[in-house]
Amino acid sequence: MLFRQLFDSTSSTYSYLLADETSGKAVIIDPVIEKTGEYMQLLDELGLTLELALDTHTHADHITALGELRDCSGCQSMIGVESQSECASGMFKDGDVLQVGSINVQVVYTPGHTDDSYSFVVEDQGKTYLFTGDTLLIRGTGRTDFQNGDARQQFSSLWDKLLSYGDDALVYPAHDYKGWHQSTVGEEKQNNPRLQAKTVEDYVALMGSLNLPNPKLMDVAVPANRACGKV
Protein backbone atom coordinates (compact mmCIF):
# COMPACT_ATOMS: atom_id res chain seq x y z
CA MET A 1 0.00 0.00 0.00
CA LEU A 2 1.27 3.43 -0.91
CA PHE A 3 0.74 5.88 1.96
CA ARG A 4 1.21 9.64 2.20
CA GLN A 5 0.44 11.99 5.09
CA LEU A 6 -0.31 15.50 3.81
CA PHE A 7 -0.55 18.70 5.86
CA ASP A 8 -2.37 22.02 5.66
CA SER A 9 -0.51 24.47 7.90
CA THR A 10 -3.32 27.04 8.00
CA SER A 11 -5.78 24.70 9.75
CA SER A 12 -3.23 22.17 11.08
CA THR A 13 -5.15 19.49 9.19
CA TYR A 14 -3.73 16.14 8.17
CA SER A 15 -5.05 14.53 5.01
CA TYR A 16 -4.14 10.99 4.00
CA LEU A 17 -3.59 9.45 0.59
CA LEU A 18 -3.72 5.65 0.37
CA ALA A 19 -3.33 3.72 -2.86
CA ASP A 20 -3.21 0.16 -4.11
CA GLU A 21 0.10 0.11 -5.95
CA THR A 22 -1.00 -2.71 -8.28
CA SER A 23 -4.15 -1.10 -9.63
CA GLY A 24 -3.18 2.51 -9.01
CA LYS A 25 -6.54 3.18 -7.34
CA ALA A 26 -6.43 5.70 -4.50
CA VAL A 27 -8.48 7.17 -1.65
CA ILE A 28 -7.95 10.47 0.14
CA ILE A 29 -9.19 11.14 3.67
CA ASP A 30 -10.08 14.62 5.02
CA PRO A 31 -8.90 16.71 2.05
CA VAL A 32 -8.66 20.53 2.33
CA ILE A 33 -10.02 22.63 -0.54
CA GLU A 34 -6.99 24.93 -0.82
CA LYS A 35 -4.78 21.88 -1.41
CA THR A 36 -6.83 20.47 -4.31
CA GLY A 37 -4.24 21.43 -6.94
CA GLU A 38 -1.44 19.83 -4.91
CA TYR A 39 -3.45 16.62 -4.50
CA MET A 40 -4.12 16.41 -8.22
CA GLN A 41 -0.45 17.04 -9.02
CA LEU A 42 0.67 14.32 -6.60
CA LEU A 43 -1.84 11.84 -8.02
CA ASP A 44 -0.53 12.58 -11.51
CA GLU A 45 3.11 12.28 -10.47
CA LEU A 46 2.47 8.92 -8.81
CA GLY A 47 0.32 7.62 -11.67
CA LEU A 48 -2.73 7.15 -9.46
CA THR A 49 -6.47 7.32 -10.12
CA LEU A 50 -8.53 8.83 -7.32
CA GLU A 51 -11.50 6.58 -6.63
CA LEU A 52 -12.78 7.92 -3.30
CA ALA A 53 -12.61 11.12 -1.25
CA LEU A 54 -13.79 10.73 2.36
CA ASP A 55 -14.41 13.03 5.31
CA THR A 56 -14.32 11.68 8.84
CA HIS A 57 -16.96 14.28 9.84
CA THR A 58 -18.33 17.72 8.99
CA HIS A 59 -15.32 19.90 9.77
CA ALA A 60 -15.62 23.32 11.42
CA ASP A 61 -12.08 24.63 10.92
CA HIS A 62 -11.52 24.24 7.19
CA ILE A 63 -13.47 23.72 3.99
CA THR A 64 -13.45 20.24 2.53
CA ALA A 65 -12.19 19.39 -0.94
CA LEU A 66 -14.77 16.62 -1.47
CA GLY A 67 -16.67 18.57 -4.12
CA GLU A 68 -13.60 19.97 -5.87
CA LEU A 69 -11.89 16.58 -6.06
CA ARG A 70 -15.04 15.01 -7.50
CA ASP A 71 -15.18 17.74 -10.12
CA CYS A 72 -11.48 17.42 -10.98
CA SER A 73 -11.10 13.65 -10.93
CA GLY A 74 -14.54 12.09 -11.26
CA CYS A 75 -14.05 10.30 -7.94
CA GLN A 76 -16.85 9.38 -5.56
CA SER A 77 -17.21 11.64 -2.50
CA MET A 78 -18.54 10.16 0.73
CA ILE A 79 -19.34 11.21 4.29
CA GLY A 80 -21.27 9.65 7.16
CA VAL A 81 -25.02 9.23 6.84
CA GLU A 82 -25.61 11.33 9.96
CA SER A 83 -24.20 14.40 8.17
CA GLN A 84 -27.26 14.57 5.88
CA SER A 85 -25.01 16.08 3.19
CA GLU A 86 -27.10 15.33 0.13
CA CYS A 87 -24.40 16.71 -2.16
CA ALA A 88 -22.15 13.70 -1.54
CA SER A 89 -21.96 10.88 -4.07
CA GLY A 90 -22.81 8.46 -1.30
CA MET A 91 -22.88 8.02 2.45
CA PHE A 92 -21.33 5.38 4.65
CA LYS A 93 -22.48 3.92 7.95
CA ASP A 94 -20.99 1.91 10.80
CA GLY A 95 -19.68 -1.46 9.65
CA ASP A 96 -19.36 -0.59 5.98
CA VAL A 97 -16.24 -1.64 4.10
CA LEU A 98 -15.14 0.68 1.27
CA GLN A 99 -12.95 -1.09 -1.27
CA VAL A 100 -10.28 0.75 -3.26
CA GLY A 101 -8.37 -1.77 -5.31
CA SER A 102 -7.03 -4.26 -2.76
CA ILE A 103 -7.44 -1.79 0.13
CA ASN A 104 -10.39 -2.34 2.45
CA VAL A 105 -11.37 0.76 4.43
CA GLN A 106 -13.40 -0.33 7.46
CA VAL A 107 -15.90 2.28 8.65
CA VAL A 108 -16.33 2.72 12.43
CA TYR A 109 -18.88 5.15 13.88
CA THR A 110 -17.14 7.15 16.63
CA PRO A 111 -19.49 10.00 17.63
CA GLY A 112 -18.86 12.51 20.38
CA HIS A 113 -16.82 15.28 18.77
CA THR A 114 -19.75 15.64 16.38
CA ASP A 115 -22.76 13.43 15.82
CA ASP A 116 -21.41 12.43 12.38
CA SER A 117 -17.87 11.51 13.45
CA TYR A 118 -16.32 8.36 11.98
CA SER A 119 -12.95 6.67 12.03
CA PHE A 120 -11.44 4.47 9.33
CA VAL A 121 -9.42 1.30 9.87
CA VAL A 122 -7.06 -0.17 7.29
CA GLU A 123 -5.03 -3.36 7.70
CA ASP A 124 -1.89 -3.70 5.60
CA GLN A 125 1.09 -6.05 5.90
CA GLY A 126 0.41 -6.81 9.54
CA LYS A 127 -0.09 -3.19 10.52
CA THR A 128 -3.34 -1.56 11.67
CA TYR A 129 -3.84 2.04 10.59
CA LEU A 130 -6.46 4.04 12.53
CA PHE A 131 -7.57 7.27 10.90
CA THR A 132 -9.31 8.77 13.89
CA GLY A 133 -10.52 12.15 12.62
CA ASP A 134 -11.03 14.47 15.59
CA THR A 135 -12.16 11.69 17.93
CA LEU A 136 -8.69 10.67 19.10
CA LEU A 137 -5.86 13.16 18.72
CA ILE A 138 -2.23 12.79 19.70
CA ARG A 139 -2.20 13.57 23.43
CA GLY A 140 -5.76 14.87 23.20
CA THR A 141 -9.33 14.25 22.05
CA GLY A 142 -11.72 16.32 19.97
CA ARG A 143 -13.85 18.91 21.75
CA THR A 144 -17.47 17.94 22.38
CA ASP A 145 -19.21 21.30 22.84
CA PHE A 146 -20.75 21.97 19.40
CA GLN A 147 -22.29 20.23 16.34
CA ASN A 148 -24.27 17.90 18.58
CA GLY A 149 -21.12 16.81 20.36
CA ASP A 150 -21.51 14.55 23.39
CA ALA A 151 -18.75 13.69 25.85
CA ARG A 152 -20.52 10.50 26.95
CA GLN A 153 -20.70 9.29 23.38
CA GLN A 154 -17.06 10.16 22.85
CA PHE A 155 -16.04 8.23 25.97
CA SER A 156 -17.73 5.15 24.50
CA SER A 157 -16.18 5.76 21.06
CA LEU A 158 -12.75 5.91 22.65
CA TRP A 159 -12.82 3.19 25.30
CA ASP A 160 -15.21 0.73 23.63
CA LYS A 161 -13.96 1.12 20.06
CA LEU A 162 -10.66 2.84 19.24
CA LEU A 163 -8.76 1.79 22.34
CA SER A 164 -9.84 -1.82 21.84
CA TYR A 165 -7.42 -2.15 18.94
CA GLY A 166 -4.00 -3.51 19.79
CA ASP A 167 -1.44 -1.27 21.44
CA ASP A 168 0.63 -1.37 18.25
CA ALA A 169 -2.22 0.06 16.12
CA LEU A 170 -1.04 3.27 14.45
CA VAL A 171 -3.02 6.43 15.22
CA TYR A 172 -3.33 9.05 12.48
CA PRO A 173 -5.57 11.99 13.52
CA ALA A 174 -7.14 14.72 11.39
CA HIS A 175 -5.25 17.46 13.26
CA ASP A 176 -2.16 18.13 15.25
CA TYR A 177 -1.06 21.51 16.61
CA LYS A 178 2.35 20.55 18.02
CA GLY A 179 4.05 18.90 15.05
CA TRP A 180 3.33 15.29 16.01
CA HIS A 181 2.75 13.08 12.97
CA GLN A 182 1.66 9.72 14.34
CA SER A 183 1.13 7.79 17.54
CA THR A 184 -0.04 4.36 18.66
CA VAL A 185 -2.96 3.16 20.75
CA GLY A 186 -0.57 1.99 23.49
CA GLU A 187 1.27 5.30 23.53
CA GLU A 188 -1.99 7.24 23.85
CA LYS A 189 -3.30 4.97 26.60
CA GLN A 190 -0.19 5.71 28.61
CA ASN A 191 0.46 9.37 27.82
CA ASN A 192 -2.76 11.05 26.64
CA PRO A 193 -3.98 13.12 29.62
CA ARG A 194 -7.63 12.87 28.58
CA LEU A 195 -7.45 9.09 28.51
CA GLN A 196 -6.52 8.99 32.18
CA ALA A 197 -10.16 9.59 33.16
CA LYS A 198 -11.30 6.61 35.21
CA THR A 199 -15.05 6.90 34.61
CA VAL A 200 -17.41 8.41 32.09
CA GLU A 201 -18.40 10.98 34.72
CA ASP A 202 -14.76 12.04 35.09
CA TYR A 203 -14.45 12.39 31.32
CA VAL A 204 -17.66 14.42 31.00
CA ALA A 205 -16.47 16.78 33.75
CA LEU A 206 -13.08 17.15 32.07
CA MET A 207 -14.52 17.95 28.65
CA GLY A 208 -17.05 20.34 30.16
CA SER A 209 -14.30 22.39 31.78
CA LEU A 210 -12.29 23.20 28.62
CA ASN A 211 -14.04 26.51 27.69
CA LEU A 212 -12.49 26.65 24.23
CA PRO A 213 -13.21 29.44 21.72
CA ASN A 214 -15.11 28.50 18.57
CA PRO A 215 -12.99 27.78 15.47
CA LYS A 216 -12.45 30.97 13.45
CA LEU A 217 -14.01 29.50 10.29
CA MET A 218 -16.88 27.70 11.99
CA ASP A 219 -19.69 29.90 10.65
CA VAL A 220 -18.35 29.54 7.11
CA ALA A 221 -16.91 26.03 7.15
CA VAL A 222 -19.85 24.08 8.59
CA PRO A 223 -22.48 25.20 6.01
CA ALA A 224 -19.90 24.98 3.22
CA ASN A 225 -18.91 21.45 4.22
CA ARG A 226 -22.54 20.36 4.35
CA ALA A 227 -22.51 21.40 0.68
CA CYS A 228 -19.31 19.36 -0.03
CA GLY A 229 -17.13 22.47 0.07
CA LYS A 230 -19.26 24.66 -2.18
CA VAL A 231 -19.32 28.08 -0.50
Side-chain angles (χ1 to χ4, degrees):
M1 180 180 75
L2 184 149
F3 174 74
R4 295 287 187 275
Q5 183 181 43
L6 310 171
F7 187 62
D8 172 56
S9 59
T10 301
S11 60
S12 297
T13 298
Y14 282 129
S15 305
Y16 300 95
L17 176 69
L18 291 71
D20 170 21
E21 294 178 278
T22 301
S23 67
K25 294 179 178 180
V27 55
I28 191 166
I29 298 169
D30 287 332
V32 177
I33 194 168
E34 288 85 0
K35 299 293 184 179
T36 301
E38 295 179 23
Y39 302 147
M40 294 305 298
Q41 179 179 346
L42 181 60
L43 289 162
D44 182 63
E45 290 173 350
L46 298 177
L48 303 175
T49 301
L50 189 63
E51 295 279 309
L52 272 180
L54 309 173
D55 269 348
T56 52
H57 63 289
T58 303
H59 295 278
D61 47 16
H62 70 269
I63 297 175
T64 182
L66 288 194
E68 287 292 314
L69 285 171
R70 182 173 59 184
D71 291 346
C72 291
S73 70
C75 72
Q76 297 291 297
S77 62
M78 298 187 73
I79 192 169
V81 64
E82 290 80 7
S83 70
Q84 299 181 351
S85 293
E86 297 180 358
C87 62
S89 305
M91 296 185 182
F92 48 73
K93 63 183 184 304
D94 188 49
D96 284 351
V97 177
L98 310 176
Q99 190 165 12
V100 180
S102 63
I103 299 171
N104 291 319
V105 181
Q106 303 169 45
V107 177
V108 181
Y109 185 43
T110 51
H113 171 62
T114 65
D115 61 351
D116 65 347
S117 288
Y118 280 81
S119 298
F120 304 121
V121 183
V122 174
E123 305 279 353
D124 182 68
Q125 296 185 351
K127 294 181 180 180
T128 300
Y129 295 76
L130 303 180
F131 300 97
T132 56
D134 285 15
T135 301
L136 176 59
L137 305 175
I138 299 174
R139 307 300 191 268
T141 58
R143 61 192 296 172
T144 58
D145 57 339
F146 60 79
Q147 288 179 265
N148 297 317
D150 187 303
R152 289 182 178 274
Q153 284 188 327
Q154 190 173 67
F155 183 90
S156 178
S157 295
L158 291 164
W159 271 264
D160 297 339
K161 295 182 180 180
L162 294 178
L163 298 184
S164 69
Y165 289 90
D167 284 356
D168 291 336
L170 301 170
V171 173
Y172 288 100
H175 295 283
D176 189 81
Y177 305 97
K178 298 179 181 178
W180 295 76
H181 293 272
Q182 170 239 298
S183 185
T184 66
V185 166
E187 189 176 320
E188 292 309 304
K189 284 180 180 177
Q190 182 173 354
N191 299 298
N192 190 320
R194 296 194 187 165
L195 300 185
Q196 307 314 308
K198 301 301 182 184
T199 66
V200 63
E201 287 77 14
D202 289 343
Y203 189 75
V204 169
L206 171 63
M207 299 305 290
S209 68
L210 297 180
N211 296 318
L212 299 171
N214 284 342
K216 294 178 181 179
L217 287 179
M218 182 174 178
D219 292 341
V220 174
V222 171
N225 289 335
R226 285 176 177 154
C228 295
K230 303 296 185 180
V231 180

